[in-house]
Amino acid sequence: MTASSPAPSPQVRVLVVDDHPVVRSGLVGMLTAEPDLVVVGEAGDGREGVRLAHELRPDVVLMDLRMPVLDGVGATSEILAGPRSPGEARPARPRVVVLTTYETDTDILRAVEAGATGYLLKDTPRDVLVAGIRAAARGETVLAPTVATRLVTSVRGAGERLTPRESQVLALVARGLSNPAIGRELFISEATVKTHLLRAFAKLGVDDRTRAVTVAIERGILPGA
């Protein structure tokens, strides 16, 4: 009896989204060299990335952060929201790994709050990037060491004091406004409204809108009824 050969590794379908053609081409070439990674598409801005993600249904989206038309955070939010066509079934959501040169606290928090599975920097070694894509496809969180440190520090140092904008958003929630309505009222995007709310929830130690308003009133952050 001959020994059976090991089963081949499952292929990971990857969509590359980056507005710099040279960077995008380099990433595609690097990933294509890996036998278990298949680049199914590439996009030069966030809006095109959303369209292709919904159309091609990749396992992992490698997402630049700062792009024209729609940035990486906005694209991540829309990709993970699924298709918008009435009656269309939502496909399995891809994992989004942000790949950027930026590692500020604001950038990191916005990406993670939008639902990104990973956050890596463009100076990440090739083997680490490839391993990160494979890990993301398995549902694991992938963070560059410096990013992980910044994220933990930011969360620990957030404290309980709401920023003026967070208080403003929460006050509109107390008035019964939806996220889109709050965005229109304050002239900000719905994704930005969600970001402010998530940060307020973390600071207040709650996980829903109703409880956030209740705790804010109890602590004197918002006026009582």
Side-chain angles (χ1 to χ4, degrees):
M1 180 181 295
T2 59
S4 58
S5 59
S9 300
Q11 290 189 322
V12 177
R13 293 162 50 83
V14 183
L15 171 64
V16 177
V17 185
D18 195 296
D19 65 323
H20 292 95
V22 173
V23 173
R24 196 168 64 245
S25 177
L27 288 171
V28 170
M30 180 183 71
L31 299 180
T32 301
E34 300 294 328
D36 61 328
L37 302 183
V38 179
V39 178
V40 296
E42 51 183 292
D45 63 68
R47 177 58 61 204
E48 180 71 359
V50 172
R51 186 186 69 79
L52 289 179
H54 290 168
E55 178 182 315
L56 301 174
R57 302 186 180 186
D59 300 305
V60 175
V61 179
L62 203 56
M63 179 73 72
D64 191 13
L65 197 60
R66 301 188 183 180
M67 296 180 290
V69 185
L70 181 66
D71 69 8
V73 171
T76 296
S77 296
E78 292 195 21
I79 288 171
L80 298 182
R84 298 169 180 256
S85 301
E88 183 178 359
R90 172 183 285 183
R93 293 189 285 181
R95 310 292 182 176
V96 177
V97 175
V98 169
L99 184 64
T100 179
T101 56
Y102 304 99
E103 55 175 325
T104 67
D105 293 351
T106 299
D107 288 325
I108 295 167
L109 286 172
R110 289 182 65 227
V112 171
E113 288 165 356
T117 297
Y119 196 112
L120 298 174
L121 304 177
K122 286 185 177 178
D123 61 359
T124 298
R126 170 179 176 156
D127 59 336
V128 176
L129 174 58
V130 170
I133 292 173
R134 291 173 180 143
R138 296 191 297 267
E140 300 172 18
T141 300
V142 183
L143 297 175
T146 56
V147 169
T149 299
R150 283 179 174 271
L151 188 58
V152 170
T153 301
S154 178
V155 171
R156 286 178 178 171
E160 295 187 349
R161 179 174 297 179
L162 302 188
T163 65
R165 180 64 95 182
E166 289 164 356
S167 297
Q168 193 176 25
V169 168
L170 206 54
L172 294 176
V173 170
R175 285 171 44 191
L177 273 66
S178 65
N179 287 356
I182 293 172
R184 290 191 295 271
E185 180 84 9
L186 300 179
F187 300 100
I188 58 177
S189 69
E190 184 177 353
T192 301
V193 173
K194 291 179 181 177
T195 297
H196 288 308
L197 282 176
L198 285 171
R199 290 176 178 167
F201 289 179
K203 292 176 182 179
L204 296 173
V206 301
D207 56 10
D208 66 73
R209 297 159 68 92
T210 301
R211 184 60 183 158
V213 170
T214 301
V215 171
I217 292 174
E218 290 173 351
R219 296 184 183 178
I221 298 171
L222 295 179

